[in-house]
Amino acid sequence: GGGSTLYIGGIVHRSNSAMAVTNCTNYGDLSQSGAVSAEVCIGGVCVEVYDHTDMTNCHNHGALSATPKKSSDGVAQVVRIGGLIGKQTAKVCTLNINGSTDNYCTNTGAITVEGEVSLITISGIISAIDSTKSAGQTTNLNYVKNSGTITVDVDTATGNSYVGGIVGLCDRYSSSTPNSCTVKTSNAINSGNITIGSEASTTEYQAINLGGILGRPVTAILTFSNIKNTAKMEFKGHATGDLCL
């Protein structure tokens, strides 16, 4: 569908108040196509975390895709896709995603972005931890796994791209509060191959930030333990800005 801002969640739309999501699995494919005037955000289980949220033993098996077109004023828009969660944003809150040794929280669904885009944040678990509106975001990821492939092959890319197997982007509140985003990740595995661009494409990408676990942190406080990436990562396009892999 088209329209303005488009948020799509496989199980939950948005957590406006404290919420627990337990033993939930999405099997349905989630997709967007057409013009949007603001943002496309897709989460396999929950599209946006806005308040304290505990997610336990949750899974996405559906394919997630976006093919946006420029709005009527000719502006390309932001695309955020997370295998489990689209984004964590705005309010001071804590997000806990907890699996277990024999039941990881998982994404197996393929993620695909095409069309006309500006900024991109994509990940197998959570695409963006965005503390640009309020300082104090905390994210705890424990026993999480992504095996879904991530493919980006767009017609236009006017903004930066942040793509990670587990987390796409951790963003700060402001330059005066550089450590406003805290992320603790343990027992995380990514085996989903990541490909940006194609040899036949003439699209000029801006800065590319690509990581097997994390695409890019912006002065966040990070703690990692027992993490593993076995995925193949490729950038096949043309970059006019920095290329960070």
Side-chain angles (χ1 to χ4, degrees):
S4 57
T5 301
L6 182 62
Y7 286 8
I8 305 172
I11 304 292
V12 179
H13 178 247
R14 187 189 200 197
S15 61
N16 284 320
S17 57
M19 177 179 70
V21 184
T22 305
N23 299 325
C24 291
T25 301
N26 174 59
Y27 293 96
D29 296 342
L30 308 177
S31 64
Q32 177 276 338
S33 64
V36 290
S37 60
E39 178 180 273
V40 176
C41 188
I42 301 174
V45 174
C46 176
V47 67
E48 183 180 21
V49 169
Y50 197 76
D51 204 338
H52 183 93
T53 299
D54 293 309
M55 179 176 288
T56 307
N57 297 333
C58 290
H59 312 276
N60 175 64
H61 300 303
L64 311 177
S65 64
T67 311
K69 298 295 182 183
K70 292 179 181 178
S71 60
S72 57
D73 57 1
V75 177
Q77 303 303 337
V78 173
V79 174
R80 304 185 190 274
I81 303 180
L84 294 184
I85 294 177
K87 64 180 180 178
Q88 177 185 3
T89 187
K91 192 173 181 179
V92 177
C93 67
T94 297
L95 166 64
N96 299 308
I97 302 180
N98 290 310
S100 60
T101 55
D102 57 354
N103 191 10
Y104 279 64
C105 286
T106 60
N107 174 63
T108 64
I111 300 174
T112 306
V113 178
E114 299 175 325
E116 300 167 329
V117 303
S118 59
L119 182 142
I120 302 170
T121 64
I122 304 172
S123 161
I125 301 299
I126 176 169
S127 86
I129 302 167
D130 183 0
S131 59
T132 56
K133 295 182 180 179
S134 61
Q137 302 285 36
T138 299
T139 307
N140 299 306
L141 309 176
N142 191 32
Y143 290 103
V144 295
K145 183 186 299 184
N146 173 62
S147 60
T149 58
I150 297 174
T151 305
V152 178
D153 192 7
V154 298
D155 299 321
T156 60
T158 59
N160 295 343
S161 300
Y162 305 94
V163 182
I166 302 299
V167 178
L169 172 67
C170 305
D171 208 354
R172 65 187 176 187
Y173 177 49
S174 70
S175 58
S176 62
T177 56
N179 295 322
S180 56
C181 177
T182 300
V183 182
K184 297 180 180 179
T185 305
S186 60
N187 305 302
I189 301 172
N190 176 57
S191 61
N193 292 338
I194 302 173
T195 304
I196 301 179
S198 65
E199 294 175 357
S201 175
T202 59
T203 299
E204 291 190 346
Y205 290 81
Q206 304 301 310
I208 300 292
N209 300 269
L210 173 58
I213 299 297
L214 170 63
R216 185 184 178 189
V218 181
T219 60
I221 300 173
L222 304 174
T223 303
F224 293 107
S225 62
N226 298 324
I227 61 173
K228 181 168 69 172
N229 174 62
T230 61
K232 182 179 181 180
M233 298 181 292
E234 295 182 287
F235 175 64
K236 298 182 177 180
H238 306 275
T240 59
D242 294 337
L243 178 59
C244 302
L245 289 90

